[in-house]
Coordinates of all heavy atoms in Angstrom, one line a residue:
A723 N -2.7 6.4 -1.4 CA -1.9 5.4 -1.9 C -2.0 4.0 -1.2 O -2.1 3.0 -1.8 CB -0.4 5.7 -1.9
G737 N -23.3 -11.2 7.2 CA -23.9 -9.9 7.6 C -22.9 -8.8 7.3 O -22.0 -8.8 6.5
T741 N -18.6 -7.1 5.0 CA -18.6 -5.9 4.1 C -17.5 -5.0 4.3 O -16.7 -5.2 5.3 CB -19.9 -5.2 4.3 OG1 -19.9 -4.5 5.5 CG2 -21.2 -6.1 4.2
S744 N -16.6 -3.6 7.7 CA -15.8 -4.5 8.7 C -14.4 -4.4 8.3 O -13.5 -4.4 9.3 CB -16.3 -5.9 8.6 OG -15.6 -6.7 9.4
V761 N -3.6 9.2 -7.2 CA -4.0 9.4 -5.8 C -5.1 10.5 -5.7 O -5.2 11.3 -6.6 CB -2.8 9.8 -4.9 CG1 -1.7 8.7 -4.8 CG2 -2.1 11.1 -5.5
D765 N -6.6 18.5 1.2 CA -5.9 19.5 2.0 C -6.9 20.0 3.1 O -8.0 19.5 3.2 CB -5.4 20.6 1.2 CG -6.4 21.4 0.4 OD1 -7.6 21.3 0.8 OD2 -6.1 22.1 -0.6
A771 N -14.5 22.0 4.5 CA -15.7 21.9 3.7 C -16.5 20.7 4.0 O -17.8 20.8 4.1 CB -15.4 22.0 2.2
Q784 N -13.6 25.9 15.0 CA -12.4 26.7 15.4 C -11.5 25.7 16.3 O -10.3 25.8 16.2 CB -12.9 27.9 16.2 CG -11.7 28.7 16.7 CD -12.1 30.1 17.2 OE1 -13.3 30.4 17.4 NE2 -11.1 30.9 17.6
E789 N -8.3 27.9 14.1 CA -8.6 29.3 13.7 C -10.1 29.5 13.4 O -10.8 28.5 13.3 CB -7.8 29.6 12.4 CG -8.2 28.7 11.2 CD -7.4 28.9 10.0 OE1 -7.6 29.8 9.2 OE2 -6.4 28.1 9.8
Y804 N -12.0 11.7 -1.3 CA -11.5 10.6 -0.5 C -11.5 9.4 -1.4 O -12.3 9.3 -2.3 CB -12.4 10.4 0.7 CG -11.9 9.6 1.8 CD1 -10.8 10.1 2.6 CD2 -12.4 8.3 2.1 CE1 -10.3 9.3 3.6 CE2 -11.9 7.6 3.1 CZ -10.8 8.1 3.9 OH -10.3 7.3 4.9
S806 N -12.5 6.4 -1.0 CA -13.7 5.5 -1.0 C -14.9 6.4 -1.1 O -14.8 7.7 -0.9 CB -13.8 4.7 0.3 OG -13.9 5.6 1.4
S814 N -35.1 2.4 1.9 CA -34.6 1.2 1.2 C -35.4 0.8 0.0 O -34.9 0.2 -0.9 CB -34.4 0.1 2.2 OG -35.8 -0.3 2.6
N815 N -36.7 1.1 0.0 CA -37.6 0.6 -1.0 C -37.8 1.5 -2.2 O -38.6 1.2 -3.1 CB -38.9 0.1 -0.4 CG -39.6 1.3 0.2 OD1 -39.1 2.4 0.3 ND2 -40.9 1.0 0.7
N823 N -18.3 13.2 -6.8 CA -17.4 13.9 -7.6 C -16.0 13.7 -7.0 O -15.8 13.8 -5.8 CB -17.7 15.4 -7.6 CG -19.1 15.7 -8.2 OD1 -19.4 15.2 -9.2 ND2 -19.8 16.5 -7.5
T827 N -4.9 12.6 -9.0 CA -3.6 13.2 -9.4 C -2.7 12.0 -10.0 O -2.6 11.0 -9.3 CB -2.9 13.9 -8.3 OG1 -3.8 14.9 -7.8 CG2 -1.6 14.6 -8.8
T831 N 3.2 7.4 -14.8 CA 4.0 7.9 -15.9 C 3.3 8.9 -16.7 O 2.1 8.9 -16.8 CB 4.5 6.7 -16.8 OG1 3.3 6.0 -17.3 CG2 5.3 5.7 -16.0
T835 N -2.8 6.2 -19.9 CA -4.3 6.2 -20.0 C -4.9 5.2 -19.0 O -4.5 4.0 -19.0 CB -4.7 5.8 -21.5 OG1 -4.2 6.7 -22.4 CG2 -6.2 5.7 -21.6
K849 N -26.2 -0.1 -9.9 CA -25.7 0.2 -11.3 C -24.8 1.4 -11.1 O -25.1 2.4 -10.4 CB -26.9 0.6 -12.2 CG -27.9 -0.5 -12.4 CD -29.0 -0.1 -13.4 CE -30.0 -1.2 -13.5 NZ -31.2 -1.0 -12.6
V850 N -23.6 1.3 -11.7 CA -22.6 2.3 -11.5 C -22.1 2.8 -12.8 O -21.7 2.0 -13.7 CB -21.4 1.8 -10.6 CG1 -20.4 2.9 -10.4 CG2 -21.9 1.2 -9.3
V852 N -19.3 5.7 -14.6 CA -18.2 6.6 -14.4 C -18.0 7.5 -15.6 O -18.1 7.0 -16.8 CB -16.9 5.8 -14.2 CG1 -15.7 6.8 -14.0 CG2 -17.0 4.8 -13.1
Q866 N -7.2 15.2 -12.9 CA -8.4 15.1 -13.7 C -9.5 14.7 -12.8 O -9.3 13.9 -11.9 CB -8.2 14.1 -14.8 CG -7.3 14.6 -15.9 CD -7.4 13.8 -17.2 OE1 -8.4 13.2 -17.5 NE2 -6.4 13.9 -18.1
S873 N -26.9 4.1 -9.0 CA -28.3 4.0 -9.0 C -28.8 2.6 -8.6 O -28.0 1.7 -8.7 CB -28.9 4.5 -10.3 OG -28.5 3.7 -11.3
N876 N -34.7 -0.8 -4.0 CA -34.9 -1.9 -3.1 C -33.7 -2.5 -2.4 O -33.4 -3.7 -2.5 CB -35.6 -3.0 -3.8 CG -37.0 -2.5 -4.4 OD1 -37.7 -1.7 -3.7 ND2 -37.3 -2.9 -5.6
L877 N -32.9 -1.6 -1.7 CA -31.7 -2.1 -1.0 C -32.1 -2.9 0.2 O -33.1 -2.7 0.9 CB -30.9 -0.9 -0.6 CG -30.3 -0.1 -1.6 CD1 -29.5 1.1 -1.1 CD2 -29.3 -0.9 -2.5
I888 N -12.2 0.5 -10.3 CA -10.8 0.3 -10.5 C -10.3 1.1 -11.8 O -10.9 0.9 -12.9 CB -10.5 -1.2 -10.8 CG1 -11.0 -2.0 -9.5 CG2 -9.0 -1.5 -11.0 CD1 -11.0 -3.5 -9.7
W889 N -9.4 2.0 -11.6 CA -8.7 2.6 -12.7 C -7.5 1.9 -13.0 O -6.7 1.6 -12.1 CB -8.3 4.1 -12.3 CG -9.5 5.0 -12.2 CD1 -10.0 5.5 -11.0 CD2 -10.3 5.6 -13.2 NE1 -11.1 6.4 -11.3 CE2 -11.2 6.5 -12.6 CE3 -10.2 5.5 -14.6 CZ2 -12.2 7.2 -13.4 CZ3 -11.1 6.3 -15.3 CH2 -12.0 7.1 -14.7
G892 N -2.9 -0.6 -17.0 CA -2.1 -1.8 -17.4 C -1.0 -2.2 -16.4 O -0.6 -3.3 -16.3

Side-chain angles (χ1 to χ4, degrees):
T741 70
S744 179
V761 292
D765 60 20
Q784 183 172 1
E789 61 185 278
Y804 198 67
S806 63
S814 64
N815 60 354
N823 299 311
T827 303
T831 56
T835 300
K849 293 182 185 96
V850 182
V852 181
Q866 288 197 22
S873 59
N876 301 320
L877 292 179
I888 302 168
W889 289 106

